[in-house]
């Protein structure tokens, strides 16, 4: 199958760089699948999984917002955070989930609901991806 170059970068590191057959992410308008020669675009990403197909095998990682840029030269994803399943600290993600759920259930005065909801989504996404080892 035809391939194209993909780069995924975060503030800390170059998370991925290589030739891929396809990449699927969740943009603000829904799931987006990129194949070679897709029309160019730039769109924001949600807290989501990235699914990369290489030699017919799928690799999945957790992403945390950011942007995807598709151009003739290749595809670039810039995300606040990215982790492969075996990099995810499950205990930490469970604790983050519990913290966020507690805040949302108890709603102490001054709670930033949106922030707690986003923390919960990040934790649930990581727990999902951690199971894909
Ligand atoms: P926490 O409350 O546990 O810090 P968070 O959702 O606020 O979680 P982020 O701000 O999304 O964390 O990420 C900050 C950094 O920590 C990023 O580099 C991210 O890859 C890393 N990180 C966050 N949670 C985990 C986890 N459970 N396992 C591995 N790395 C994580």
């Amino acid at each position: 199958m035809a391939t194209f170059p993909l780069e995924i970068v975060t503030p800390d590191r170059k998370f991925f760089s290589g030739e891929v057959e396809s990449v699927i992410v969740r943009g603000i308008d829904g799931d987006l699948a990129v194949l070679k020669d897709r029309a160019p675009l730039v769109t924001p990403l949600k807290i989501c999984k990235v699914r990369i197909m290489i030699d017919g095998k799928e690799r999945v990682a957790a992403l945390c917002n950011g942007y995807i840029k598709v151009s003739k030269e290749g595809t670039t994803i810039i995300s606040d955070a990215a982790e492969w399943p075996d990099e995810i600290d499950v205990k930490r993600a469970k604790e983050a989930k519990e913290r966020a759920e507690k805040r949302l259930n108890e709603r102490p005065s001054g709670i930033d609901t949106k922030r707690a909801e986003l923390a919960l989504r990040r934790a649930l996404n990581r727990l999902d991806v951690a199971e894909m080892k």
Side-chain angles (χ1 to χ4, degrees):
M1 201 172 161
T3 65
F4 58 94
L6 171 70
E7 280 218 337
I8 303 178
V9 293
T10 71
D12 310 340
R13 58 179 169 158
K14 186 176 277 192
F15 178 74
F16 177 85
S17 179
E19 288 287 317
V20 303
E21 286 149 13
S22 66
V23 56
I24 302 174
V25 286
R26 180 154 296 178
I28 48 162
D29 299 321
D31 284 350
L32 175 71
V34 179
L35 296 170
K36 187 173 164 58
D37 296 331
R38 192 203 181 282
L41 98 158
V42 176
T43 196
L45 297 178
K46 293 192 154 186
I47 295 162
C48 67
K49 295 167 190 62
V50 57
R51 296 171 181 279
I52 304 167
M53 195 64 89
I54 306 165
D55 290 334
K57 280 201 200 118
E58 189 179 66
R59 292 188 73 184
V60 181
L63 290 186
C64 194
N65 300 121
Y67 286 85
I68 182 168
K69 180 182 100 173
V70 180
S71 74
K72 260 191 273 170
E73 288 71 39
T75 294
T76 306
I77 291 172
I78 299 175
S79 184
D80 291 338
E83 301 104 30
W84 299 114
D86 59 5
E87 291 176 332
I88 292 173
D89 179 339
V90 171
K91 182 170 174 282
R92 177 174 166 180
K94 280 188 179 156
E95 284 168 0
K97 172 178 173 281
E98 280 157 22
R99 258 193 326 271
E101 283 174 340
K102 190 161 183 278
R103 287 198 180 111
L104 290 167
N105 288 332
E106 294 174 1
R107 308 243 166 185
S109 66
I111 183 193
D112 182 343
T113 307
K114 189 78 198 157
R115 186 172 158 192
E117 281 170 0
L118 290 172
L120 179 59
R121 257 187 259 161
R122 290 195 299 275
L124 291 174
N125 189 44
R126 287 186 173 115
L127 291 171
D128 258 12
V129 170
E131 284 190 359
M132 295 175 172
K133 262 189 233 182

